[in-house]
Amino acid sequence: MKLNILLLPGDGIGVEVTREAVKVLNHVAVAYGHEVAYSEGLLGGIAIHKTGNPFPDETRELALKADATLMGAVGLPEFDNAPPEKRPERGLLGIRKTLGVYANLRPVRSYSALLDSSPLKNELVDGTDMIIVRELTGGLYYGTPRGISGSGAEEKAVNTMVYTRPEIERVTRMAFQLARKRRKKVTSVDKSNVLENSQLWRRVVTEIAAEFPDVTLDHLLVDNCAMQLVLNPKRFDVVLTENLFGDILSDEGAVLAGSIGMLPSASIGEQRPSGAWVGLYEPVHGSAPDIAGQNKANPLGAIGSVAAMLEYSFGLVEEAQAVNRAMEEVLNSGRVTADLKPAGTPATTNQVGDAICAALGAGRAVTA
Ligand code: IPM
Ligand code: MN
């Protein structure tokens, strides 16, 4: 298979973790007989530095042409006080909207080798295996009117939370289809005791659920969900929620996985005529400027995002499973970065990437 991949390493540790993700993807390509063609673009703070725009037109063109996009991270502290349209994050929101990747899949699972990395009790975390489906192109992140106006006592800020029925329907179908391949349970999360937006959300989700009689649906209010995630994480299979709630809950999920550096994500849009699904793949973590350039960052969130890309954009399930198995093997070996608190000397970012490639071995060339 030929894979056309756009790389957007972005800012901070995004550069280092993307390098390891590419190393792993190249290794998989050789081992399984695929051809990868890369293009590379600017997004985020580096794009502001070089072009004045966090999401340059050239990057937009490249993204629309590629089969899938692999991103590092965006964000630099020097932009902390900049207005929203001049911030690196705006680049990320721009590419998500341009690609129309409305469903953000964030798997959260425990690894036995990492149980002690979580501050939560082992028996509570052990066996956690859920996927958060976060609506990604609507809600408060994009709603208008928005902005800050007035001054003095008249100064005010407005954001708007909007969801249309079709936006809720499509992400709900995505969540139920995923649940069908898992433990067949969807938990929809909202704030319907207060927000009209959530009332519509709950009503539409309930209607769509009727198309999937083999999948059970329950509803949780977001505040209660935040508590249940750390009280009883094993109750969750697929968690379906709107953009901002999903952003917040997925960081909480990182505590279950041991480190936010572990979490991959896949953002999926429509299926192209070629059969490939439009996809944007990025680790959940940020650009971590405090450790950038030190070869310390955990590349496993980025490498897991490569596995997600192989599976969701290209249907290469065997290859994806091989990467996931290699990750498990490396975790068990203890060759992990400092965030996972290994017993011995922590491994560097590129040592972890090399260890994943070694664990992958020769792939089909050997097993066939
Ligand atoms: C995430 C990030 C982004 C978001 C930021 C960087 C805009 O926190 O992907 O979770 O809020 O979506
Ligand atoms: Mn976030």
Side-chain angles (χ1 to χ4, degrees), residues 12-325:
I13 62 167
V15 178
E16 296 150 68
V17 298
T18 303
R19 195 178 300 135
E20 299 314 307
V22 167
K23 192 191 275 177
V24 171
L25 181 57
N26 286 338
H27 188 96
V28 170
V30 171
Y32 290 84
H34 304 295
E35 194 188 324
V36 193
Y38 295 101
S39 52
E40 190 166 335
L42 299 170
L43 188 81
I46 185 171
I48 301 180
H49 279 307
K50 297 207 170 161
T51 72
N53 180 351
F55 182 38
D57 291 344
E58 196 188 336
T59 303
R60 179 188 306 266
E61 302 300 312
L62 290 171
L64 289 170
K65 270 197 293 199
D67 295 327
T69 298
L70 186 62
M71 265 189 50
V74 297
L76 291 174
E78 65 198 82
F79 296 108
D80 277 356
N81 299 314
E85 68 280 5
K86 291 261 181 295
R87 293 182 60 115
E89 289 80 0
R90 188 49 77 86
L92 181 53
L93 303 193
I95 193 171
R96 288 172 177 169
K97 196 73 172 180
T98 296
L99 290 174
V101 285
Y102 60 83
N104 181 219
L105 281 35
R106 300 189 159 185
V108 175
R109 52 162 295 196
S110 66
Y111 289 92
S112 48
L114 295 184
L115 289 177
D116 289 331
S117 307
S118 173
L120 301 171
K121 292 193 177 78
N122 287 4
E123 64 273 19
L124 192 128
V125 173
D126 193 13
T128 296
D129 182 5
M130 74 182 85
I131 182 157
I132 299 176
V133 178
R134 166 189 178 195
E135 199 293 326
L136 200 62
T137 51
L140 276 164
Y141 277 58
Y142 294 94
T144 51
R146 66 185 294 160
I148 304 179
S149 60
S151 60
E154 302 299 309
E155 194 170 19
K156 70 172 189 190
V158 177
N159 287 95
T160 304
M161 186 169 184
V162 202
Y163 272 106
T164 62
R165 170 178 279 275
E167 284 177 313
I168 304 170
E169 287 178 353
R170 63 187 182 176
V171 72
T172 301
R173 288 202 177 93
M174 183 80 87
F176 275 84
Q177 271 148 12
L178 272 172
R180 266 198 172 145
K181 297 189 204 141
R182 298 173 47 97
R183 301 196 306 280
K184 299 190 169 48
K185 183 175 174 197
V186 172
T187 300
S188 174
V189 178
D190 62 40
K191 187 70 185 171
S192 59
N193 53 348
V194 177
L195 303 175
E196 285 78 3
N197 226 282
S198 286
Q199 285 164 2
L200 180 66
W201 182 277
R202 193 176 280 220
R203 184 149 52 78
V204 173
V205 170
T206 305
E207 278 172 33
I208 299 297
E211 297 171 15
F212 300 84
D214 51 324
V215 178
T216 53
L217 167 67
D218 66 347
H219 302 274
L220 277 186
L221 295 173
V222 63
D223 47 353
N224 185 17
C225 178
M227 183 169 68
Q228 296 305 325
L229 270 176
V230 286
L231 275 181
N232 185 14
K234 279 172 261 194
R235 84 178 284 299
F236 295 104
D237 178 16
V238 173
V239 178
L240 166 64
T241 192
E242 67 86 40
N243 202 344
L244 181 63
F245 297 161
D247 178 47
I248 298 168
L249 294 175
S250 58
D251 268 36
E252 191 184 1
V255 179
L256 301 162
S259 158
I260 193 156
M262 289 302 299
L263 297 196
S265 93
S267 306
I268 314 286
E270 304 296 340
Q271 196 169 17
R272 291 225 171 106
S274 67
W277 291 82
V278 174
L280 173 67
Y281 299 86
E282 49 174 323
V284 173
H285 64 69
S287 56
D290 53 319
I291 58 160
Q294 297 175 35
N295 202 12
K296 273 186 185 168
N298 186 350
L300 292 176
I303 291 169
S305 300
V306 165
M309 178 168 92
L310 291 166
E311 177 170 351
Y312 296 123
S313 273
F314 302 108
L316 298 173
V317 177
E318 185 186 343
E319 287 80 342
Q321 281 170 351
V323 174
N324 287 327
R325 265 199 313 274

Side-chain angles (χ1 to χ4, degrees), residues 300 329-337 340 342 345-348 351-352 355:
L300 292 176
E329 201 177 310
V330 169
L331 289 173
N332 289 337
S333 78
R335 249 184 123 51
V336 295
T337 43
L340 298 176
T345 317
T348 61
Q351 282 171 341
V352 174

